[in-house]
Amino acid sequence: MFQQTSQWLRQFALVFVLSSLCWLGAIAPAHSFNNPELLPAQATNIVDLAGILTPVQKERLDAELAEFEAQTGWKLRVLTQYDRTPGLAVRDFWQLDDRSILLVADSRGGNILNFNVGDTAYRVLQRTFWVELQTRFGNQYFVRDNGEDQAILQALAAIETCLAQGGCRAVPGLPKEQWILTLATSVFGGLILGFVARPRRSDQLIAWKWVLLFSPLWGMLFFAFGLGPVLVRTHEWLPLLRNVAGFALGSIVAFLIPFPTASPPVLEE
């Protein structure tokens, strides 16, 4: 009996010690990295520790960012890293302030792009812009098809475009996948409109009451999800005209094609 009690106490003490260690490790403050020795001695707008950019790309991009800063006052910087990071040392190295935007490319995660945005820049380009920018250019599929270098270059090009014009509601440009989604919602909205507009009586051409009743649904699909994303991302007319044509075609098809109806029962004599 005494031996069993002693064994139980030893097991309880072991569990208590392990739990305490885990709890202390969980609440221990995180220490930020600060490795200034990884930074170059000469001034540059790009620190490419991961070797993503070619020498020609770095030289051209460095000159472009310097010219953009001289013209607009916005400070754009690029840091690529993999297994080593300078951490907080980049703040003093680049003297980052409220008008600074730091793009960090790290391929160890699912999305390679991260952004450190100053307060002034965050007021011009708000959170939705940065989320869309990250998901569009930093996702694994874009990187697989275009490369990590293009993810960085195209993201910076979008930032420069929006800062130069005083802000953007969305990331410029309409990817093919996103346009297909807007086209599908436009067609679906048209199908709903055409179906509810079908006359219910022989003396009726269009069921206007049903059209108005379902207007929040087909209107949201067409205007909010079909035309809205196109209008805020591109000035091209072709995607817009295609969505309008898809909406009109869906309406006509749903309105004109007869739907099968159950035949009345036949009375036997």
Side-chain angles (χ1 to χ4, degrees):
M1 181 68 179
F2 178 76
Q3 184 176 3
Q4 293 179 352
T5 303
S6 177
Q7 183 178 4
W8 180 84
L9 289 175
R10 287 196 300 268
Q11 293 176 352
F12 177 79
L14 179 61
V15 171
F16 177 78
V17 171
L18 293 176
S19 301
S20 300
L21 291 175
C22 293
W23 180 75
L24 290 174
I27 65 173
H31 297 282
S32 300
F33 291 101
N34 189 9
N35 299 319
E37 66 276 5
L38 297 178
L39 297 172
Q42 69 279 9
T44 178
N45 297 317
I46 305 166
V47 176
D48 188 17
L49 298 178
I52 295 177
L53 302 173
T54 65
V56 175
Q57 287 176 326
K58 285 195 294 184
E59 182 180 358
R60 185 179 304 169
L61 182 60
D62 190 30
E64 177 185 325
L65 297 182
E67 182 180 0
F68 184 77
E69 182 179 359
Q71 293 177 351
T72 64
W74 293 106
K75 185 184 297 184
L76 303 183
R77 300 294 184 265
V78 179
L79 170 66
T80 73
Q81 58 189 21
Y82 184 67
D83 56 347
R84 300 180 303 165
T85 173
L88 298 177
V90 297
R91 294 181 180 179
D92 296 331
F93 179 74
W94 279 319
Q95 298 180 355
L96 301 179
D97 53 22
D98 292 343
R99 294 180 62 86
S100 301
I101 298 173
L102 172 61
L103 185 152
V104 181
D106 193 330
S107 58
R108 288 175 293 183
N111 193 299
I112 72 165
L113 296 181
N114 288 282
F115 303 95
N116 190 324
V117 185
D119 293 339
T120 303
Y122 198 79
R123 287 193 291 269
V124 177
L125 302 174
Q126 300 182 359
R127 182 178 181 275
T128 54
F129 173 87
W130 299 107
V131 172
E132 182 180 354
L133 186 70
Q134 183 184 44
T135 54
R136 180 186 296 187
F137 297 116
N139 66 82
Q140 295 179 350
Y141 301 102
F142 182 90
V143 172
R144 180 193 63 192
D145 297 337
N146 301 275
E148 295 179 345
D149 57 340
Q150 288 302 314
I152 296 173
L153 297 176
Q154 295 193 34
L156 287 173
I159 296 173
E160 291 178 354
T161 299
C162 289
L163 289 177
Q165 63 187 31
C168 292
R169 295 175 56 188
V171 178
L174 185 66
K176 182 179 179 180
E177 296 80 7
Q178 191 170 19
W179 171 73
I180 292 176
L181 180 61
T182 62
L183 178 62
T185 56
S186 299
V187 173
F188 189 50
L191 291 173
I192 294 176
L193 173 61
F195 179 76
V196 300
R198 293 169 64 89
R200 270 67 176 175
R201 302 191 308 268
S202 59
D203 61 340
Q204 190 180 43
L205 294 178
I206 297 177
W208 291 108
K209 291 183 179 180
W210 289 96
V211 171
L212 295 176
L213 181 63
F214 281 86
S215 59
L217 179 57
W218 62 261
M220 179 182 62
L221 289 171
F222 178 54
F223 293 105
F225 298 116
L227 300 185
V230 178
L231 292 173
V232 300
R233 288 172 173 82
T234 181
H235 298 291
E236 297 181 4
W237 286 99
L238 186 57
L240 191 65
L241 292 176
R242 286 175 175 173
N243 286 9
V244 173
F247 175 78
L249 183 61
S251 303
I252 295 172
V253 169
F255 184 82
L256 295 180
I257 291 183
F259 288 90
T261 56
S263 58
V266 178
L267 298 178
E268 297 181 357
E269 296 182 356

mmCIF file of all heavy atoms in Angstrom, residues 76-110:
data_model
loop_
_atom_site.group_PDB
_atom_site.id
_atom_site.type_symbol
_atom_site.label_atom_id
_atom_site.label_comp_id
_atom_site.label_asym_id
_atom_site.label_seq_id
_atom_site.Cartn_x
_atom_site.Cartn_y
_atom_site.Cartn_z
ATOM 1 N N LEU A 76 9.788 53.095 -49.829
ATOM 2 C CA LEU A 76 9.523 51.672 -50.034
ATOM 3 C C LEU A 76 10.825 50.895 -49.899
ATOM 4 O O LEU A 76 11.832 51.243 -50.513
ATOM 5 C CB LEU A 76 8.913 51.422 -51.416
ATOM 6 C CG LEU A 76 7.621 52.172 -51.753
ATOM 7 C CD1 LEU A 76 7.117 51.762 -53.127
ATOM 8 C CD2 LEU A 76 6.562 51.919 -50.705
ATOM 9 N N ARG A 77 10.789 49.829 -49.104
ATOM 10 C CA ARG A 77 11.969 49.012 -48.869
ATOM 11 C C ARG A 77 11.606 47.535 -49.007
ATOM 12 O O ARG A 77 10.470 47.138 -48.783
ATOM 13 C CB ARG A 77 12.556 49.275 -47.474
ATOM 14 C CG ARG A 77 12.983 50.719 -47.246
ATOM 15 C CD ARG A 77 14.150 51.085 -48.133
ATOM 16 N NE ARG A 77 14.639 52.436 -47.880
ATOM 17 C CZ ARG A 77 14.270 53.515 -48.563
ATOM 18 N NH1 ARG A 77 13.400 53.383 -49.565
ATOM 19 N NH2 ARG A 77 14.750 54.705 -48.281
ATOM 20 N N VAL A 78 12.606 46.723 -49.369
ATOM 21 C CA VAL A 78 12.387 45.298 -49.615
ATOM 22 C C VAL A 78 13.390 44.488 -48.806
ATOM 23 O O VAL A 78 14.602 44.752 -48.858
ATOM 24 C CB VAL A 78 12.527 44.960 -51.117
ATOM 25 C CG1 VAL A 78 12.324 43.463 -51.341
ATOM 26 C CG2 VAL A 78 11.528 45.764 -51.941
ATOM 27 N N LEU A 79 12.883 43.500 -48.091
ATOM 28 C CA LEU A 79 13.712 42.562 -47.336
ATOM 29 C C LEU A 79 13.265 41.152 -47.676
ATOM 30 O O LEU A 79 12.103 40.808 -47.526
ATOM 31 C CB LEU A 79 13.568 42.802 -45.827
ATOM 32 C CG LEU A 79 14.189 41.728 -44.916
ATOM 33 C CD1 LEU A 79 15.704 41.700 -45.056
ATOM 34 C CD2 LEU A 79 13.783 41.958 -43.459
ATOM 35 N N THR A 80 14.188 40.331 -48.175
ATOM 36 C CA THR A 80 13.910 38.919 -48.395
ATOM 37 C C THR A 80 14.753 38.109 -47.420
ATOM 38 O O THR A 80 15.921 38.430 -47.181
ATOM 39 C CB THR A 80 14.228 38.495 -49.841
ATOM 40 O OG1 THR A 80 15.640 38.445 -50.032
ATOM 41 C CG2 THR A 80 13.604 39.466 -50.833
ATOM 42 N N GLN A 81 14.158 37.073 -46.866
ATOM 43 C CA GLN A 81 14.854 36.276 -45.854
ATOM 44 C C GLN A 81 14.374 34.844 -45.931
ATOM 45 O O GLN A 81 13.303 34.549 -46.468
ATOM 46 C CB GLN A 81 14.595 36.839 -44.456
ATOM 47 C CG GLN A 81 13.123 36.909 -44.087
ATOM 48 C CD GLN A 81 12.867 37.661 -42.800
ATOM 49 O OE1 GLN A 81 13.690 38.466 -42.355
ATOM 50 N NE2 GLN A 81 11.728 37.401 -42.169
ATOM 51 N N TYR A 82 15.174 33.947 -45.379
ATOM 52 C CA TYR A 82 14.773 32.545 -45.317
ATOM 53 C C TYR A 82 15.093 31.970 -43.940
ATOM 54 O O TYR A 82 14.236 31.909 -43.080
ATOM 55 C CB TYR A 82 15.439 31.729 -46.425
ATOM 56 C CG TYR A 82 14.956 30.302 -46.447
ATOM 57 C CD1 TYR A 82 13.646 30.018 -46.796
ATOM 58 C CD2 TYR A 82 15.789 29.245 -46.095
ATOM 59 C CE1 TYR A 82 13.170 28.711 -46.794
ATOM 60 C CE2 TYR A 82 15.334 27.938 -46.096
ATOM 61 C CZ TYR A 82 14.029 27.681 -46.447
ATOM 62 O OH TYR A 82 13.558 26.398 -46.441
ATOM 63 N N ASP A 83 16.330 31.583 -43.733
ATOM 64 C CA ASP A 83 16.688 31.031 -42.432
ATOM 65 C C ASP A 83 17.374 32.058 -41.540
ATOM 66 O O ASP A 83 17.649 31.778 -40.375
ATOM 67 C CB ASP A 83 17.589 29.805 -42.604
ATOM 68 C CG ASP A 83 18.832 30.116 -43.418
ATOM 69 O OD1 ASP A 83 18.875 31.187 -44.052
ATOM 70 O OD2 ASP A 83 19.764 29.284 -43.420
ATOM 71 N N ARG A 84 17.651 33.228 -42.068
ATOM 72 C CA ARG A 84 18.281 34.294 -41.287
ATOM 73 C C ARG A 84 17.492 35.583 -41.472
ATOM 74 O O ARG A 84 16.981 35.861 -42.549
ATOM 75 C CB ARG A 84 19.728 34.504 -41.725
ATOM 76 C CG ARG A 84 20.632 33.290 -41.562
ATOM 77 C CD ARG A 84 22.039 33.627 -42.038
ATOM 78 N NE ARG A 84 22.044 34.091 -43.425
ATOM 79 C CZ ARG A 84 23.066 34.722 -43.997
ATOM 80 N NH1 ARG A 84 24.158 34.966 -43.304
ATOM 81 N NH2 ARG A 84 22.990 35.108 -45.273
ATOM 82 N N THR A 85 17.396 36.359 -40.403
ATOM 83 C CA THR A 85 16.673 37.619 -40.490
ATOM 84 C C THR A 85 17.392 38.677 -39.647
ATOM 85 O O THR A 85 17.857 38.375 -38.540
ATOM 86 C CB THR A 85 15.223 37.461 -39.995
ATOM 87 O OG1 THR A 85 14.599 38.746 -39.951
ATOM 88 C CG2 THR A 85 15.168 36.831 -38.619
ATOM 89 N N PRO A 86 17.483 39.898 -40.147
ATOM 90 C CA PRO A 86 18.080 40.964 -39.335
ATOM 91 C C PRO A 86 17.146 41.469 -38.254
ATOM 92 O O PRO A 86 17.579 42.170 -37.321
ATOM 93 C CB PRO A 86 18.375 42.054 -40.366
ATOM 94 C CG PRO A 86 17.403 41.808 -41.460
ATOM 95 C CD PRO A 86 17.194 40.330 -41.520
ATOM 96 N N GLY A 87 15.869 41.135 -38.353
ATOM 97 C CA GLY A 87 14.927 41.514 -37.312
ATOM 98 C C GLY A 87 14.746 43.012 -37.182
ATOM 99 O O GLY A 87 14.623 43.748 -38.165
ATOM 100 N N LEU A 88 14.754 43.480 -35.953
ATOM 101 C CA LEU A 88 14.489 44.894 -35.667
ATOM 102 C C LEU A 88 15.587 45.822 -36.169
ATOM 103 O O LEU A 88 15.383 47.039 -36.207
ATOM 104 C CB LEU A 88 14.311 45.088 -34.158
ATOM 105 C CG LEU A 88 13.135 44.341 -33.523
ATOM 106 C CD1 LEU A 88 13.123 44.576 -32.022
ATOM 107 C CD2 LEU A 88 11.816 44.779 -34.144
ATOM 108 N N ALA A 89 16.710 45.259 -36.569
ATOM 109 C CA ALA A 89 17.817 46.108 -37.019
ATOM 110 C C ALA A 89 17.473 46.885 -38.283
ATOM 111 O O ALA A 89 18.077 47.923 -38.565
ATOM 112 C CB ALA A 89 19.067 45.255 -37.255
ATOM 113 N N VAL A 90 16.470 46.408 -39.062
ATOM 114 C CA VAL A 90 16.125 47.110 -40.297
ATOM 115 C C VAL A 90 15.509 48.474 -40.019
ATOM 116 O O VAL A 90 15.551 49.372 -40.863
ATOM 117 C CB VAL A 90 15.170 46.259 -41.153
ATOM 118 C CG1 VAL A 90 15.843 44.969 -41.588
ATOM 119 C CG2 VAL A 90 13.877 45.959 -40.398
ATOM 120 N N ARG A 91 14.920 48.658 -38.842
ATOM 121 C CA ARG A 91 14.305 49.952 -38.518
ATOM 122 C C ARG A 91 15.346 51.063 -38.498
ATOM 123 O O ARG A 91 15.153 52.132 -39.084
ATOM 124 C CB ARG A 91 13.588 49.876 -37.170
ATOM 125 C CG ARG A 91 12.392 48.941 -37.150
ATOM 126 C CD ARG A 91 11.722 48.957 -35.782
ATOM 127 N NE ARG A 91 10.572 48.059 -35.741
ATOM 128 C CZ ARG A 91 9.820 47.863 -34.670
ATOM 129 N NH1 ARG A 91 10.117 48.508 -33.536
ATOM 130 N NH2 ARG A 91 8.790 47.037 -34.704
ATOM 131 N N ASP A 92 16.441 50.797 -37.823
ATOM 132 C CA ASP A 92 17.489 51.810 -37.768
ATOM 133 C C ASP A 92 18.267 51.891 -39.076
ATOM 134 O O ASP A 92 18.713 52.969 -39.471
ATOM 135 C CB ASP A 92 18.450 51.490 -36.611
ATOM 136 C CG ASP A 92 17.760 51.571 -35.255
ATOM 137 O OD1 ASP A 92 16.804 52.368 -35.140
ATOM 138 O OD2 ASP A 92 18.157 50.830 -34.338
ATOM 139 N N PHE A 93 18.426 50.753 -39.743
ATOM 140 C CA PHE A 93 19.171 50.741 -40.991
ATOM 141 C C PHE A 93 18.489 51.603 -42.048
ATOM 142 O O PHE A 93 19.148 52.359 -42.782
ATOM 143 C CB PHE A 93 19.320 49.295 -41.488
ATOM 144 C CG PHE A 93 20.045 49.163 -42.785
ATOM 145 C CD1 PHE A 93 21.426 49.335 -42.858
ATOM 146 C CD2 PHE A 93 19.355 48.873 -43.955
ATOM 147 C CE1 PHE A 93 22.106 49.214 -44.069
ATOM 148 C CE2 PHE A 93 20.020 48.746 -45.165
ATOM 149 C CZ PHE A 93 21.398 48.924 -45.216
ATOM 150 N N TRP A 94 17.162 51.506 -42.136
ATOM 151 C CA TRP A 94 16.412 52.269 -43.132
ATOM 152 C C TRP A 94 15.709 53.489 -42.541
ATOM 153 O O TRP A 94 15.060 54.232 -43.279
ATOM 154 C CB TRP A 94 15.392 51.368 -43.820
ATOM 155 C CG TRP A 94 15.977 50.521 -44.907
ATOM 156 C CD1 TRP A 94 16.898 50.901 -45.836
ATOM 157 C CD2 TRP A 94 15.676 49.153 -45.199
ATOM 158 N NE1 TRP A 94 17.191 49.874 -46.686
ATOM 159 C CE2 TRP A 94 16.453 48.777 -46.329
ATOM 160 C CE3 TRP A 94 14.829 48.210 -44.635
ATOM 161 C CZ2 TRP A 94 16.402 47.498 -46.885
ATOM 162 C CZ3 TRP A 94 14.775 46.947 -45.189
ATOM 163 C CH2 TRP A 94 15.557 46.596 -46.296
ATOM 164 N N GLN A 95 15.780 53.638 -41.218
ATOM 165 C CA GLN A 95 15.101 54.749 -40.556
ATOM 166 C C GLN A 95 13.632 54.810 -40.959
ATOM 167 O O GLN A 95 13.129 55.814 -41.463
ATOM 168 C CB GLN A 95 15.812 56.079 -40.856
ATOM 169 C CG GLN A 95 17.235 56.140 -40.348
ATOM 170 C CD GLN A 95 17.907 57.465 -40.647
ATOM 171 O OE1 GLN A 95 17.353 58.339 -41.315
ATOM 172 N NE2 GLN A 95 19.126 57.635 -40.136
ATOM 173 N N LEU A 96 12.962 53.692 -40.728
ATOM 174 C CA LEU A 96 11.561 53.580 -41.118
ATOM 175 C C LEU A 96 10.695 54.520 -40.283
ATOM 176 O O LEU A 96 10.882 54.643 -39.071
ATOM 177 C CB LEU A 96 11.090 52.130 -40.934
ATOM 178 C CG LEU A 96 11.863 51.077 -41.742
ATOM 179 C CD1 LEU A 96 11.322 49.684 -41.453
ATOM 180 C CD2 LEU A 96 11.791 51.372 -43.239
ATOM 181 N N ASP A 97 9.743 55.172 -40.950
ATOM 182 C CA ASP A 97 8.864 56.126 -40.278
ATOM 183 C C ASP A 97 7.434 55.903 -40.739
ATOM 184 O O ASP A 97 7.103 54.859 -41.315
ATOM 185 C CB ASP A 97 9.328 57.559 -40.542
ATOM 186 C CG ASP A 97 9.483 57.853 -42.035
ATOM 187 O OD1 ASP A 97 8.855 57.134 -42.847
ATOM 188 O OD2 ASP A 97 10.237 58.773 -42.392
ATOM 189 N N ASP A 98 6.562 56.911 -40.483
ATOM 190 C CA ASP A 98 5.147 56.777 -40.813
ATOM 191 C C ASP A 98 4.883 56.721 -42.312
ATOM 192 O O ASP A 98 3.833 56.244 -42.748
ATOM 193 C CB ASP A 98 4.344 57.936 -40.207
ATOM 194 C CG ASP A 98 4.302 57.862 -38.692
ATOM 195 O OD1 ASP A 98 4.602 56.781 -38.158
ATOM 196 O OD2 ASP A 98 3.967 58.880 -38.053
ATOM 197 N N ARG A 99 5.815 57.204 -43.119
ATOM 198 C CA ARG A 99 5.648 57.185 -44.575
ATOM 199 C C ARG A 99 6.476 56.072 -45.206
ATOM 200 O O ARG A 99 6.835 56.152 -46.384
ATOM 201 C CB ARG A 99 6.037 58.540 -45.174
ATOM 202 C CG ARG A 99 5.115 59.675 -44.758
ATOM 203 C CD ARG A 99 5.551 60.994 -45.398
ATOM 204 N NE ARG A 99 5.488 60.952 -46.858
ATOM 205 C CZ ARG A 99 4.392 61.216 -47.562
ATOM 206 N NH1 ARG A 99 3.266 61.534 -46.943
ATOM 207 N NH2 ARG A 99 4.412 61.181 -48.888
ATOM 208 N N SER A 100 6.728 55.034 -44.441
ATOM 209 C CA SER A 100 7.541 53.913 -44.917
ATOM 210 C C SER A 100 6.687 52.667 -45.079
ATOM 211 O O SER A 100 5.747 52.434 -44.311
ATOM 212 C CB SER A 100 8.687 53.624 -43.949
ATOM 213 O OG SER A 100 9.519 54.747 -43.797
ATOM 214 N N ILE A 101 7.034 51.866 -46.072
ATOM 215 C CA ILE A 101 6.399 50.567 -46.305
ATOM 216 C C ILE A 101 7.512 49.555 -46.534
ATOM 217 O O ILE A 101 8.305 49.694 -47.463
ATOM 218 C CB ILE A 101 5.458 50.610 -47.512
ATOM 219 C CG1 ILE A 101 4.316 51.609 -47.284
ATOM 220 C CG2 ILE A 101 4.886 49.220 -47.797
ATOM 221 C CD1 ILE A 101 3.443 51.827 -48.499
ATOM 222 N N LEU A 102 7.559 48.557 -45.690
ATOM 223 C CA LEU A 102 8.565 47.503 -45.794
ATOM 224 C C LEU A 102 7.901 46.228 -46.291
ATOM 225 O O LEU A 102 6.984 45.706 -45.651
ATOM 226 C CB LEU A 102 9.230 47.261 -44.440
ATOM 227 C CG LEU A 102 10.177 46.051 -44.358
ATOM 228 C CD1 LEU A 102 11.344 46.210 -45.323
ATOM 229 C CD2 LEU A 102 10.677 45.862 -42.934
ATOM 230 N N LEU A 103 8.344 45.742 -47.444
ATOM 231 C CA LEU A 103 7.880 44.465 -47.977
ATOM 232 C C LEU A 103 8.861 43.384 -47.538
ATOM 233 O O LEU A 103 10.050 43.468 -47.835
ATOM 234 C CB LEU A 103 7.784 44.522 -49.500
ATOM 235 C CG LEU A 103 7.208 43.295 -50.225
ATOM 236 C CD1 LEU A 103 6.558 43.715 -51.545
ATOM 237 C CD2 LEU A 103 8.279 42.235 -50.497
ATOM 238 N N VAL A 104 8.359 42.383 -46.826
ATOM 239 C CA VAL A 104 9.173 41.264 -46.364
ATOM 240 C C VAL A 104 8.736 40.016 -47.107
ATOM 241 O O VAL A 104 7.568 39.622 -47.043
ATOM 242 C CB VAL A 104 9.030 41.059 -44.843
ATOM 243 C CG1 VAL A 104 9.910 39.894 -44.388
ATOM 244 C CG2 VAL A 104 9.388 42.334 -44.096
ATOM 245 N N ALA A 105 9.660 39.402 -47.831
ATOM 246 C CA ALA A 105 9.388 38.166 -48.564
ATOM 247 C C ALA A 105 10.076 37.009 -47.852
ATOM 248 O O ALA A 105 11.301 37.006 -47.708
ATOM 249 C CB ALA A 105 9.875 38.274 -50.005
ATOM 250 N N ASP A 106 9.281 36.051 -47.399
ATOM 251 C CA ASP A 106 9.801 34.889 -46.680
ATOM 252 C C ASP A 106 9.024 33.672 -47.159
ATOM 253 O O ASP A 106 7.819 33.562 -46.934
ATOM 254 C CB ASP A 106 9.625 35.077 -45.171
ATOM 255 C CG ASP A 106 10.419 34.059 -44.367
ATOM 256 O OD1 ASP A 106 10.626 32.938 -44.870
ATOM 257 O OD2 ASP A 106 10.839 34.385 -43.241
ATOM 258 N N SER A 107 9.705 32.758 -47.840
ATOM 259 C CA SER A 107 9.041 31.610 -48.465
ATOM 260 C C SER A 107 8.794 30.458 -47.497
ATOM 261 O O SER A 107 8.335 29.398 -47.913
ATOM 262 C CB SER A 107 9.867 31.107 -49.647
ATOM 263 O OG SER A 107 11.178 30.756 -49.233
ATOM 264 N N ARG A 108 9.052 30.637 -46.228
ATOM 265 C CA ARG A 108 8.852 29.550 -45.278
ATOM 266 C C ARG A 108 7.382 29.350 -44.931
ATOM 267 O O ARG A 108 7.002 28.291 -44.445
ATOM 268 C CB ARG A 108 9.654 29.809 -44.004
ATOM 269 C CG ARG A 108 11.140 29.643 -44.181
ATOM 270 C CD ARG A 108 11.898 30.019 -42.933
ATOM 271 N NE ARG A 108 11.790 31.456 -42.639
ATOM 272 C CZ ARG A 108 12.408 32.042 -41.623
ATOM 273 N NH1 ARG A 108 13.164 31.328 -40.808
ATOM 274 N NH2 ARG A 108 12.284 33.343 -41.423
ATOM 275 N N GLY A 109 6.542 30.354 -45.155
ATOM 276 C CA GLY A 109 5.123 30.235 -44.847
ATOM 277 C C GLY A 109 4.309 29.908 -46.082
ATOM 278 O O GLY A 109 4.821 29.707 -47.181
ATOM 279 N N GLY A 110 2.992 29.861 -45.917
ATOM 280 C CA GLY A 110 2.119 29.602 -47.047
ATOM 281 C C GLY A 110 2.073 30.762 -48.011
ATOM 282 O O GLY A 110 1.949 30.576 -49.217
#
